[in-house]
Every structure is written in C-alpha cells, then in structure tokens.
Amino acid sequence: MEFLLHNTASGERDPIQASDGKTVRFYCCGPTVYGPAHIGNFRTFLIQDLFRRVCEASGLKTTHVRNVTDVDDKTIRESMAQGMALREFTASWQEKFEKDCAELNLLAPHHSPSAVDHIDEQIRLIEQLMEKGHAYQGNDGSVYFRVSSFDRYGELAHIRRDAQKENADGRINSDDEYSKDDVADFALWKSRKEEDGANYWESPWGDGRPGWHIECSAMSMRYLGPSIDVHGGGVDLTFPHHENEIAQSEAATGERFVRHWFHSAHLMVEGRKMSKSLGNLYTLADLKEKGYQPEEVRWALLSGHYRKTLNFTFDSLKAAQKALGRIGDLVEKLDLQAEDIDDLAPDQLEGDFRSAWESLLTDLNVPQALGFLMKEISRGEKSAGSLSKDEAVRWFASCRALLNTIGVNLEAWLSRRVSEEDTAASAPEEISKMAEARWAAKKEKDFAEADRLRNEISEAGWLVKDTPDGFELTPVS
RNA sequence: GGCGCGGUAGCCAAGUGGUAAGGCCGUGGACUGCAAAUCCUCUACUCGGCGGUUCGAUUCCGCCCCGCGCCUCCA
C-alpha cells in the first residue's frame, strides 16, 4: 500500500515517493529561537516526525532537514534587550528546544542548519537572483525580490495578486513601501540598521542581514539540492513564506523547488485561541509541572488529524494518560520479556493493528489509527488471561510496532511510572502511622475506626489502597 | 473585502451515497467490610439550520448561522 499525503500544491492526496528512487528528501521550517517553544509549535514538529516515521516504517529512507532561525527581528531585539551576544542568546534557546524535542521523542533531523551559519549561501543565492533580474536594490539599500518577475507567484496559496492588492483593508502598507517597487516585493537582504547593533554581515550590497525567507531556500538547496521531495511547515507559513521560497528558489535555479507541500493545522486550547494574554500558551515544562508525561503530551497532540485544527484540552491529556495506562497495565499483565521480542515490520501486522497502519498510510490519519489500536487493546484486555505465549508475544510485538511508528515510547513511559510508584511509597511518617493504625483497625474488624482513619488520611491528601497483604499510599493530585 | 478550513453524543475525535470508529466522562454490574484499582455492560433513531438532487444524504449541491486561519517576518 502506498503512503498518500495531502499536497497543498495540488490539493490532492499524492503518493510519497523518493524522486531519486532511494531517499525522501524533506525540509521543515524550524523554530525561531528567541523564547520557549509552546505545544502549538510542537504539534507541527510532532507531525513532521510522524511523517518521517511513517516513511521509514514503509521502507523509504529519509534525509530530514529542519532549520533553526537564529537571526530576525525578534532574536536580535531580545538578545540585545538581555545584553547577550546574538549567538549566545539563540544557542541557549536552541538547546532548550532540542531538549524538549528529545523528551517528546522526536527523531533528530539529519541536519539542523542555522541561518547565521549559512550567510554565504544566502548571499550567493541573492547574487544569482540579481544576475537574472529577479531582484533589485531599493533606495534604502535593501535587496528585494521582484514578485512581478515570477509568473507563478501565488500558485501554492491560490492567491491572485491583483485581487489581494485591491482589498486588504489597508493592511498592505509597510514602512518601506517607498523603497520597494511593489508592496508585494519582499526583502532578500536587509540593510544594516542602528537597532541591529553588532548583528550585521558584509555583502555586495553593503552591511546588513538576510531576510527571513531566503534562509530556507539557501539551506534546503545546500543540504538537499535544488529540487526536493517534501517541504513542511505550519499552515500559517503557506503564505507568504513558502510562496516566497518557491519564487526565489525557482527563479534562481529554474528547477521545480518542491514536489510535495505538507502543512499542518494549528492548535486551540480549551476551545480558545492560544495567546499570551489568555495564559494558555503552554510549554512542555508547564505540562510536566502539572504532572503529565511527555508521552502523554505527544499522544494528545497527535490525537487529531493534522490538517484540522486540534482543540487541545486537559481532558484529552487525561484521556491520553488513561490510554497509556491501559496499555501499560495490559503489557504488564502479559508479563513478557520485551527485550527478547523481535520488532515487527508494519506489513506483518494483522487485524486492527494492520488497519491502524493503513490509516497512517492514508494521509496520516492518526485518530483513526488510534481508534483501531484501542480496539486491539480492548480485545487484549478481554483475552489477556487466555492467550498462549506465542499469541501474547505477537500481540505485544504488533502493539509496540504501532506505538513506535506513532513515536510513543511505551517503555520510557512505563519505566517512569515504576519509578513514580517507588517515590510515592514514601509517604510522610505521620500519614504512614495513620495508615498502619487503620490497617490494624481493619484487622480487628473495627471498620468504623478504619473508615474514620481513611477519611483523615484522605483529607491529608493521600489515598489508601488495600492489597491482599497490606496497603499502599498514593498522593492525590 | 479576497482566499481557505471547520461545525458529528457532556468533552475530544474518525468516517461513509445505504443507514454513525475509538477514547474520556457518566450509568449499571462483578470484585471489595467500605474504598481504590481492574474487568464486564450500557450510553448519538442522529451528524449547525433550511432547502435541493437521489429509491436513499451526516456524506453531493445551494443558501443561511456560528467558529477558526491566511491576506506585513506567527508552527
């Protein structure tokens, strides 16, 4: 079965293919490293990671490039506000970003080039555009791409320039409109400004810094060649960022820049847009602080279809937690030596596991895949006791294969759960004493006293669980 | 104003021209001295509203209402 993915450019589900017959080369627009990444950012990167995993599980090799934007208005402004060198500032945020990525089990891209490290490549690309007459220097010294020189401009976003210019409620009106020949033209090279401080580079057009769009074209070409298989990003980047990338790349090389455009929808939180003022711009750290594990966050963020706005709620996070708990309980009940069990290839899957895999191949339909997965979980729960060893091993291997494809690391989640149980066992002495008194009362069949103590312990924030030969204490969140 | 996406049970969320996956929550039950956990069971005569096409529409078409996105460097 082919891996089909919706292509923004064609508007259809197109098969994913390696144009060289071997390796799918794909580029993803990465983070601007000027602050903590929030779960909305991670949704996009998670979806790209899923895309890569499905490619690889289906037998395709990949070369995955995700850039780091480390020079723009925000990075410059913030670094200067904090009195830090740009590179020092961005490096610290990049490090935090990569740590979060690792916790969310995102595969590290094969290349993570930064814009600052590729100034030369960007300058060379702009030179080509100048030579071919697609770019010009404005009277402010900046270099602009001449949109009218590229006929196919607007094709990706399905935007007609004439229609857009007329009516934008005055929104197309920037400070530099007198420097550009046309308001739609965009900066390739920005001339040095005082507020940029020490952050400028030499170029044939004077000191300055690259515009935003050019970095992606330059680095995509540098690592993947002039024409690539897949390019991804958040929906908001479709226009103008990706449209501009196409224009400048194709104008420079004369080759088709990207065959398959892949965009993921945004996130809402509890039914509202994410925004600083609403205080719902959660980071991974925020959610961990609230007691959720990265695997649960990953599950929740992936639980909606990638082309549809996802309403991220704490209920869905709890549902993810519960789902992982069910899987974990079942796996423990099966009592298998996981490390001795061989990995299964997707085409060896059977039943609803198989259906789940096919859902992933059909435009990354994760919600449907999870539906099939949970059906198999229910089936497993019902038959866990009566499975033969072989059946249990096959069930487990299938389940793990699917979870791995989705990128949910069950083993990591389980081991964290075990270590949590260990720490939870150490309740304060006061609580333990009450619990022991209760156990004694229970032994004496003094249930009134036992219940009284249970309530008291409960009010202190702990839950008593009786087991066949004793009790356990767990904190109530 | 232009372009685009979406409105499916209390909540999250798939899906199909032929009669609604899955999860969470909730219900009832088993178990338990009582709990917790676990397991079993049940839970949308209906898919934003109104028309149309059709033997038949939640699924196709039209209009309307509501939400969201892009149209100046936001994943």
Side-chain angles (χ1 to χ4, degrees):
Chain A
M1 199 176 149
E2 269 186 320
F3 179 15
L4 299 174
L5 191 76
H6 184 267
N7 182 351
T8 311
S10 69
E12 290 174 8
R13 273 182 198 167
D14 294 334
I16 293 298
Q17 292 163 330
S19 50
D20 66 359
K22 289 183 292 197
T23 305
V24 174
R25 290 165 297 133
F26 74 106
Y27 184 96
C28 301
C29 292
T32 302
V33 281
Y34 72 106
H38 54 70
I39 53 174
N41 298 315
F42 283 117
R43 181 186 195 200
T44 296
F45 301 130
L46 242 16
I47 287 164
Q48 292 163 352
D49 182 68
L50 176 71
F51 166 75
R52 173 169 161 191
R53 287 173 186 272
V54 171
C55 279
E56 292 177 358
S58 71
L60 294 161
K61 286 194 174 66
T62 63
T63 302
H64 175 196
V65 177
R66 186 183 62 216
N67 71 298
V68 173
T69 298
D70 55 356
V71 53
D72 78 326
D73 290 349
K74 293 187 292 275
T75 47
I76 290 175
R77 194 194 331 112
E78 288 299 312
S79 66
M80 289 179 69
Q82 299 191 20
M84 293 171 81
L86 180 63
R87 198 180 268 282
E88 186 193 355
F89 173 81
T90 55
S92 74
W93 284 115
Q94 184 177 345
E95 196 182 316
K96 288 190 177 65
F97 171 73
E98 283 168 0
K99 193 171 152 275
D100 283 354
C101 285
E103 288 205 69
L104 287 168
N105 200 214
L106 283 133
L107 298 167
H110 305 282
H111 304 281
S112 305
S114 99
V116 165
D117 289 338
H118 296 78
I119 300 284
D120 289 347
E121 283 86 345
Q122 297 177 70
I123 289 175
R124 278 201 292 278
L125 188 54
I126 298 169
E127 280 179 322
Q128 286 182 52
L129 291 168
M130 285 292 258
E131 281 163 23
K132 295 189 177 180
H134 290 288
Y136 61 93
Q137 189 162 24
N139 53 24
D140 60 347
S142 294
V143 178
Y144 297 95
F145 183 86
R146 190 183 303 283
V147 165
S148 63
S149 74
F150 187 72
D151 288 343
R152 296 193 298 285
Y153 194 82
E155 266 187 20
L156 175 69
H158 308 106
I159 282 175
R160 293 193 314 278
R161 287 193 50 238
D162 47 344
Q164 157 199 7
K165 240 174 17 181
E166 303 297 321
N167 262 317
D169 289 340
R171 295 186 65 195
I172 295 183
N173 182 14
S174 55
D175 295 339
D176 51 10
E177 66 182 307
Y178 298 111
S179 314
K180 300 195 283 189
D181 292 355
D182 187 313
V183 287
D185 292 351
F186 56 90
L188 297 167
W189 185 261
K190 296 182 152 193
S191 63
R192 179 181 173 188
K193 285 189 195 144
E194 208 172 312
E195 57 262 39
D196 292 341
N199 302 303
Y200 62 88
W201 290 263
E202 289 175 8
S203 84
W205 317 284
D207 292 346
R209 60 181 166 97
W212 175 44
H213 312 292
I214 196 74
E215 68 177 77
C216 288
S217 291
M219 297 192 283
S220 181
M221 289 181 198
R222 159 73 176 74
Y223 292 95
L224 298 170
S227 184
I228 69 172
D229 298 313
V230 180
H231 189 126
V235 264
D236 54 303
L237 298 183
T238 312
F239 193 91
H241 184 55
H242 290 158
E243 197 68 60
N244 292 354
E245 280 187 47
I246 293 172
Q248 68 204 174
S249 304
E250 299 191 356
T253 67
E255 291 187 54
R256 170 88 167 274
F257 180 45
V258 171
R259 294 171 42 200
H260 202 126
W261 286 93
F262 169 36
H263 291 104
S264 43
H266 282 184
L267 210 60
M268 310 253 293
V269 172
E270 302 289 351
R272 317 180 71 175
K273 308 160 74 153
M274 278 196 314
S275 77
K276 259 188 186 153
S277 58
L278 287 174
N280 59 6
L281 268 175
Y282 296 112
T283 63
L284 180 60
D286 292 334
L287 298 178
K288 280 170 66 183
E289 213 166 278
K290 290 176 186 289
Y292 298 100
Q293 303 298 333
E295 291 79 14
E296 295 154 7
V297 175
R298 181 170 179 122
W299 185 295
L301 285 174
L302 246 21
S303 65
H305 187 89
Y306 78 94
R307 284 197 288 122
K308 206 167 142 183
T309 307
L310 173 73
N311 187 10
F312 182 87
T313 64
F314 282 94
D315 278 349
S316 64
L317 208 42
K318 288 191 189 104
Q321 199 167 43
K322 190 87 187 255
L324 278 160
R326 281 175 62 185
I327 298 173
D329 290 345
L330 181 52
V331 166
E332 281 173 357
K333 195 183 290 179
L334 257 24
D335 193 28
L336 301 163
Q337 295 304 309
E339 58 276 12
D340 297 340
I341 296 172
D342 291 336
D343 286 332
L344 267 185
D347 56 13
Q348 296 173 286
L349 297 176
E350 291 168 7
D352 281 323
F353 285 122
R354 174 80 183 193
S355 302
W357 166 242
E358 287 172 0
S359 296
L360 292 177
L361 290 175
T362 309
D363 201 24
L364 296 175
N365 194 337
V366 179
Q368 191 175 68
L370 292 178
F372 284 124
L373 205 220
M374 292 314 290
K375 272 191 182 176
E376 283 289 359
I377 301 304
S378 294
R379 202 163 291 147
E381 284 166 342
K382 283 175 189 148
S383 59
S386 58
L387 291 181
S388 71
K389 184 84 179 171
D390 277 359
E391 285 168 330
V393 164
R394 201 166 59 233
W395 186 92
F396 175 77
S398 303
C399 183
R400 188 175 59 183
L402 202 65
L403 288 173
N404 284 345
T405 306
I406 295 169
V408 170
N409 187 337
L410 185 64
E411 269 105 343
W413 186 86
L414 279 173
S415 69
R416 212 176 294 114
R417 178 164 82 167
V418 169
S419 69
E420 264 190 3
E421 280 167 0
D422 288 348
T423 54
S426 56
E429 203 183 318
E430 195 187 310
I431 305 289
S432 304
K433 275 192 177 160
M434 279 196 279
E436 273 161 37
R438 179 192 159 273
W439 183 251
K442 184 188 154 167
K443 282 281 178 204
E444 297 297 317
K445 300 221 187 286
D446 183 355
F447 296 126
E449 175 66 3
D451 287 350
R452 193 187 65 75
L453 284 161
R454 176 193 288 288
N455 285 336
E456 207 167 311
I457 294 165
S458 159
E459 275 164 29
W462 291 76
L463 178 73
V464 188
K465 285 192 214 170
D466 289 342
T467 61
D469 43 29
F471 61 88
E472 283 172 11
L473 282 166
T474 46
V476 181
S477 53

